Amino acid sequence: EAQVTQNPRYLITVTGKKLTVTCSQNMNHEYMSWYRQDPGLGLRQIYYSMNVEVTDKGDVPEGYKVSRKEKRNFPLILESPSPNQTSLYFCASSITYRAQETQYFGPGTRLLVL
Amino acid sequence: GDSVTQMEGPVTLSEEAFLTINCTYTATGYPSLFWYVQYPGEGLQLLLKATKADDKGSNKGFEATYRKETTSFHLEKGSVQVSDSAVYFCALIDSYGGSQGNLIFGKGTKLSVKP
């Protein structure tokens, strides 16, 4: 089944404790990205990757890192989480970055930073 | 910059009622337009899309027409069901080089359908 998977689905952590949220897709997509969803703000892009070893900042990159060593995986790293990073996070992928391509979303990771 | 504005919710309807959720956009280039749906506790699913002016996207009884002259992409359904209760997001990806595949979302409209 074609899908985007994320782990973990739920995470509670404390301020400053490094964490990684994994994202994997099995559709051979070139493009992957991370979004965060906050009440009243909709979804905003954190980072994106056009293909392997090419990543760049989205609209809200502060406090996050990413890497793209393999085509299928695009982990999101919070080196020193803070309470304002409490949010619902979605990974997405598409064949390319072009406007007409559909982006497919993972199930989401709900993060609480105490 | 690019932006999407959609009607504030929540919207509460009775089963079999007609649904319209308004969406307007501003964009630099020639965007593709999308409606995504988020059911309770789930991720986002593509509901429909349109990639050029006058295109009509449709799926599961929902429709939306890409109107360049009014910069709109309103979502409609003739007869809603309880199972349509969800949050609906209008979104765009612009076609100009700087967009880099960034989906720009509206804030979402929560729909509740009562039996």
Side-chain angles (χ1 to χ4, degrees):
Chain A
E1 180 190 354
Q3 59 183 347
V4 179
T5 57
Q6 295 178 228
N7 282 292
R9 294 288 313 277
Y10 304 91
L11 181 59
I12 302 174
T13 190
V14 294
T15 299
K17 186 176 181 182
K18 181 179 179 180
L19 66 91
T20 300
V21 183
T22 65
C23 172
S24 183
Q25 50 91 7
N26 62 2
M27 296 171 278
N28 202 37
H29 286 171
E30 295 283 345
Y31 182 88
M32 297 184 75
S33 65
W34 277 101
Y35 295 85
R36 59 178 287 173
Q37 182 182 13
D38 300 292
L41 296 176
L43 285 86
R44 295 172 293 167
Q45 191 183 56
I46 303 170
Y47 267 94
Y48 65 91
S49 170
M50 306 281 270
N51 49 48
V52 175
E53 301 293 0
V54 179
T55 65
D56 207 345
K57 298 176 182 178
D59 294 329
V60 288
E62 295 77 19
Y64 304 95
K65 285 177 58 177
V66 293
S67 70
R68 186 96 181 272
K69 294 185 170 57
E70 307 165 277
K71 196 174 193 179
R72 62 184 291 128
N73 296 323
F74 189 46
L76 180 70
I77 303 157
L78 285 71
E79 298 244 330
S80 183
S82 62
N84 65 11
Q85 293 178 297
T86 292
S87 188
L88 179 57
Y89 292 88
F90 289 102
C91 181
S93 74
S94 60
I95 295 172
T96 71
Y97 70 92
R98 282 191 288 271
Q100 63 267 36
E101 302 293 351
T102 298
Q103 292 194 21
Y104 297 88
F105 283 78
T109 295
R110 189 169 292 278
L111 172 65
L112 173 61
V113 183
L114 300 172
Chain B
D2 296 351
S3 67
V4 174
T5 302
Q6 61 181 104
M7 62 188 287
E8 300 274 333
V11 173
T12 302
L13 296 173
S14 298
E15 209 165 21
E16 299 184 2
F18 185 84
L19 168 70
T20 300
I21 302 177
N22 290 335
C23 172
T24 58
Y25 68 89
T26 58
T28 303
Y30 300 95
S32 293
L33 302 174
F34 304 82
W35 276 100
Y36 280 86
V37 59
Q38 185 177 31
Y39 297 103
E42 298 185 12
L44 280 79
Q45 303 174 24
L46 178 69
L47 182 59
L48 53 85
K49 72 178 185 181
T51 59
K52 60 183 188 298
D54 299 325
D55 271 1
K56 177 186 280 189
S58 60
N59 186 26
K60 298 181 181 180
F62 292 89
E63 293 183 339
T65 301
Y66 187 162
R67 302 282 188 205
K68 191 168 184 290
E69 63 276 12
T70 54
T71 61
S72 65
F73 192 55
H74 305 321
L75 182 68
E76 295 182 337
K77 186 175 185 184
S79 177
V80 294
Q81 305 300 313
V82 173
S83 57
D84 293 327
S85 297
V87 180
Y88 292 82
F89 291 93
C90 185
L92 68 82
I93 300 180
D94 211 337
S95 62
Y96 76 102
S99 72
Q100 308 293 17
N102 184 5
L103 266 168
I104 305 296
F105 284 89
K107 294 183 180 179
T109 302
K110 183 175 182 180
L111 171 66
S112 295
V113 181
K114 306 298 184 187

